[in-house]
């Protein structure tokens, strides 16, 4: 039996993070496709599917894990849209950063030639998935970890919470109104995107309708299936473990110096 893959093999992005300032970037190819879908609607699988069809640099919110400074721009955009803090993003900003469903109307407006894929799943299944996965980021352990790991979790957790609060409100409001907000978002997409630019794609459909919509041959391979509930939980565990290791590495010299001072003080006191 082959050995189980290591954490590094399963989640390489967590071990190879970059630090690119997207404000120094600019778009070099036209925006061709926008995947407009709430979290936990198969967007990670869709990202992989689009890459298999030849689309390069397909941005997913998980890209913030690869490049944590992206969280800073998302925080600016979320504060401007939902909380009236700062200047709202325009095309130049989105060309630097790329896009996500929390800014569905803005992205559709600034990229009028892009085809739009609305990724969907049953509202009850979606609500259960978000409750058992994304809501874990509100766990009290992350309250402390984000302070111990400022370069990643100190950016990631506040941004995730800001996004969630902007779309749904408080956790209590999500419990009450989350499914209706999800349904309303689908209706909003239908109202603003012309029918010939829109594909409503349900989780688990496979390749056929997607490839027909984008004008590609159907690949001779199964449709990707990534980031299910179990994989999400495993990644969450590795994120916590790496945050603790980074914190230990960062604070070890300080703790060592403090230990030396305490030992010296004890020796002096006894002497």
């Amino acid at each position: 039996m082959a050995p189980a893959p290591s954490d590094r093999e399963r989640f390489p992005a967590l071990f190879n993070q970059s630090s690119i300032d997207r404000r120094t970037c600019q778009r070099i190819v036209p925006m061709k496709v926008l995947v407009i879908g709430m979290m936990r609607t198969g967007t990670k699988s869709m990202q992989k599917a689009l890459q298999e069809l030849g689309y390069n640099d397909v941005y997913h919110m998980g890209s913030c894990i690869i490049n944590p400074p992206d969280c800073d721009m998302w925080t600016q955009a979320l504060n401007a849209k939902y909380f009236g803090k700062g200047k709202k993003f325009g095309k130049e900003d989105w060309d630097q950063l790329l896009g996500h469903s929390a800014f569905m109307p803005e992205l559709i407006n600034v990229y009028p030639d892009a085809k739009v894929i609305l990724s969907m799943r049953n509202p009850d299944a979606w609500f259960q998935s978000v409750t058992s996965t994304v809501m874990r980021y509100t766990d009290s352990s992350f309250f402390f970890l984000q302070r111990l790991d400022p370069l990643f979790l100190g950016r990631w957790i506040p941004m995730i919470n800001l996004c969630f609060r902007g779309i749904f409100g408080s956790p209590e409001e999500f419990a009450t109104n989350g499914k209706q907000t999800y349904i309303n978002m689908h209706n909003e997409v239908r109202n603003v995107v012309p029918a010939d630019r829109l594909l409503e794609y349900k989780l688990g459909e496979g390749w056929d309708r997607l490839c027909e919509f984008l004008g590609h041959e159907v690949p001779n391979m199964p449709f990707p299936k990534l980031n299910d509930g179990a994989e999400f939980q495993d990644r969450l565990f590795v994120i916590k473990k790496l945050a603790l290791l980074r914190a230990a590495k960062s604070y070890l010299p300080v703790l060592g110096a403090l230990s030396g001072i305490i030992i010296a003080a004890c020796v002096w006191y006894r002497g």
Side-chain angles (χ1 to χ4, degrees):
M1 180 181 295
S6 66
D7 290 342
R8 185 181 291 272
E9 290 170 330
R10 292 190 67 195
F11 308 114
L14 295 177
F15 293 84
N16 299 287
Q17 292 176 317
S18 58
S19 186
I20 299 169
D21 180 3
R22 300 291 184 193
R23 288 295 185 185
T24 65
C25 301
Q26 56 183 314
R27 178 168 297 284
I28 58 175
V29 295
M31 178 70 82
K32 296 181 179 180
V33 182
L34 294 171
V35 180
I36 303 296
M38 283 281 192
M39 58 195 82
R40 309 305 299 163
T41 59
T43 53
K44 189 67 177 173
S45 299
M46 182 62 73
Q47 178 193 35
K48 181 64 174 175
L50 291 173
Q51 290 169 337
E52 294 293 346
L53 292 176
Y55 295 91
N56 296 320
D57 297 325
V58 182
Y59 196 95
H60 182 272
M61 208 62 176
S63 301
C64 292
I65 294 175
I66 300 173
N67 192 63
D70 284 10
C71 298
D72 300 337
M73 282 190 73
W74 282 114
T75 297
Q76 293 171 15
L78 289 161
N79 271 321
K81 172 168 181 171
Y82 290 110
F83 305 101
K85 299 177 182 178
K87 176 179 168 291
K88 291 186 177 181
F89 275 29
K91 186 175 186 299
E92 181 180 355
D93 303 291
W94 293 121
D95 277 349
Q96 293 168 339
L97 181 59
L98 306 183
H100 186 253
S101 64
F103 296 88
M104 177 271 295
E106 293 89 337
L107 295 175
I108 290 171
N109 287 333
V110 300
Y111 300 116
D113 297 324
K115 293 188 174 184
V116 178
I117 300 169
L118 174 59
S119 57
M120 310 167 65
R121 68 188 299 184
N122 174 274
D124 293 323
W126 169 83
F127 182 83
Q128 181 58 43
S129 179
V130 173
T131 300
S132 62
T133 55
V134 179
M135 291 292 285
R136 295 290 299 276
Y137 283 117
T138 64
D139 187 285
S140 59
S141 63
F142 279 109
F143 177 82
F144 297 102
L145 284 172
Q146 66 181 303
R147 285 155 176 77
L148 295 174
D149 182 30
L151 293 182
F152 175 42
L153 289 185
R155 289 163 153 158
W156 175 253
I157 298 302
M159 181 206 67
I160 291 293
N161 289 335
L162 198 66
C163 182
F164 197 88
R165 187 155 50 93
I167 297 173
F168 301 110
S170 67
E172 293 75 21
E173 290 173 301
F174 172 75
T176 304
N177 305 317
K179 279 189 276 191
Q180 189 57 52
T181 300
Y182 174 76
I183 293 168
N184 291 345
M185 177 264 191
H186 293 167
N187 292 330
E188 186 178 3
V189 172
R190 296 178 183 116
N191 288 335
V192 299
V193 182
D196 61 342
R197 283 180 57 201
L198 177 64
L199 172 67
E200 296 189 23
Y201 183 91
K202 293 183 175 61
L203 189 64
E205 278 196 55
W207 288 109
D208 291 350
R209 292 182 62 244
L210 175 66
C211 291
E212 180 182 359
F213 178 67
L214 297 176
H216 289 274
E217 295 291 327
V218 175
N220 185 25
M221 61 181 299
F223 194 88
K225 187 177 186 298
L226 303 174
N227 204 28
D228 61 14
E231 182 179 326
F232 187 100
Q233 302 293 357
D234 290 347
R235 183 185 294 106
L236 205 64
F237 175 77
V238 176
I239 285 173
K240 288 183 176 182
K241 183 168 67 173
L242 291 177
L244 288 171
L245 290 173
R246 283 190 294 267
K249 184 177 179 180
S250 175
Y251 291 108
L252 194 58
V254 177
L255 294 174
L258 286 175
S259 298
I261 292 172
I262 292 171
I263 292 171
C266 289
V267 170
W268 172 82
Y269 179 77
R270 287 185 177 183

